[in-house]
Amino acid sequence: MLQEIHAAGGEVFGISSEPHTLAVEAEQEWETGFPIVGDPHHELREECSERGWIDVFANENYGHLRERKWASHPKGYYQPAVIAVHKSGRVLYRWRCVPKFTNMNGAGPRPEAAYTCDKIQAAMNSTEDAPLDREPEMGTETASWFRFMLMLTAHGWFIRPRALPLAREGDKESVNPRKVMRRVYWFLAMWLLLLVVLPIGWFGIVLLAWVVAVIPGLIEIHHQFQNEPDPY
């Protein structure tokens, strides 16, 4: 698909809210085939907004990425967005992600590539800027917020929820979602066993103690995710 874009005279760029050194590292490691530009101070983001192209949402708090000691987002990190612009300056396609409970704080699916290219191609015959695509065709389905939080809680061994960030070379890799769900099943089995072997009073005390222990972490990660209301 990248070759088709180049053949049509187009170019593809990726923009990251991390420093340019990390952006280049990602470009080389992932072998993207197109340049990735670091924009840690959001200059490109602000330029796109000033031109009326797209307002990329940025999360100010990235504390849930605390395991990545090398991460750097001086003004916050970008949510995903797609913008296609004609050489005349006319917008051919635009989509942006806003963190919500329904899209796993932006960790959900992205617009499907072929769908996006078709929308861009169709817009070539128009003379107007393309509107913001609010209901694109996504590549995969989104997990429910409950399931998503359950996975993060399991990743933190049911005490302090932990995000599942991409690992840099040399980092300890995050547990993949399938293994995280195995932890959930074992955790539920443990509670069923406790319900059987403990008096109901003791079981209630243990359950209450766990709830008290896990709530601060749940509150913390909700604040960090900065979810917006669904109508946003």
Side-chain angles (χ1 to χ4, degrees):
M1 187 168 292
L2 189 59
Q3 292 178 342
E4 295 175 0
I5 293 173
H6 288 160
E11 293 290 345
V12 177
F13 297 91
I15 302 176
S16 169
S17 54
E18 293 183 313
H20 189 60
T21 52
L22 291 178
V24 172
E25 182 180 318
E27 174 190 336
Q28 295 172 346
E29 180 68 23
W30 298 342
E31 299 180 349
T32 59
F34 56 84
I36 300 179
V37 181
D39 185 31
H41 298 291
H42 296 196
E43 294 167 311
L44 294 176
R45 171 178 174 265
E46 291 169 2
E47 181 69 20
C48 286
S49 179
E50 290 174 2
R51 293 192 181 199
W53 288 352
I54 194 167
D55 184 13
V56 177
F57 190 96
N59 288 70
E60 297 177 0
N61 188 329
Y62 68 102
H64 64 287
L65 302 176
R66 55 183 173 266
E67 289 84 8
R68 297 167 63 179
K69 305 299 183 183
W70 46 267
S72 177
H73 301 269
K75 296 182 68 175
Y77 68 94
Y78 292 164
Q79 286 287 341
V82 179
I83 177 75
V85 182
H86 189 269
K87 61 182 179 181
S88 65
R90 182 166 53 86
V91 177
L92 300 175
Y93 181 80
R94 50 185 155 189
W95 168 84
R96 72 169 191 161
C97 178
V98 175
K100 302 176 183 178
F101 292 109
T102 53
N103 64 13
M104 302 189 300
N105 178 245
R110 315 293 191 241
E112 203 274 328
Y115 162 87
T116 304
C117 285
D118 288 344
K119 296 287 284 187
I120 294 172
Q121 187 64 40
M124 293 291 289
N125 300 321
S126 174
T127 58
E128 303 292 331
D129 285 335
L132 186 68
D133 192 351
R134 297 185 181 277
E135 296 184 358
E137 182 179 309
M138 297 298 195
T140 58
E141 295 184 0
T142 304
S144 68
W145 180 252
F146 175 78
R147 181 183 176 88
F148 180 54
M149 291 306 300
L150 194 61
M151 291 171 63
L152 298 190
T153 305
H155 190 220
W157 291 106
F158 303 97
I159 296 298
R160 186 183 184 189
R162 291 177 56 201
L164 300 163
L166 293 173
R168 190 184 187 192
E169 185 176 357
D171 288 354
K172 181 179 179 181
E173 292 189 6
S174 299
V175 179
N176 63 50
R178 181 174 296 181
K179 289 184 178 179
V180 165
M181 288 308 299
R182 288 178 190 166
R183 291 184 186 179
V184 172
Y185 301 143
W186 280 108
F187 188 67
L188 293 176
M190 181 198 73
W191 281 108
L192 288 175
L193 179 62
L194 290 176
L195 181 61
V196 171
V197 301
L198 290 179
I200 191 64
W202 281 105
F203 176 81
I205 291 173
V206 173
L207 179 60
L208 179 61
W210 173 72
V211 170
V212 170
V214 77
I215 281 179
L218 291 173
I219 293 175
E220 177 190 31
I221 205 162
H222 271 82
H223 287 164
Q224 292 168 347
F225 278 167
Q226 299 174 238
N227 285 311
E228 296 288 339
D230 265 343
Y232 193 104

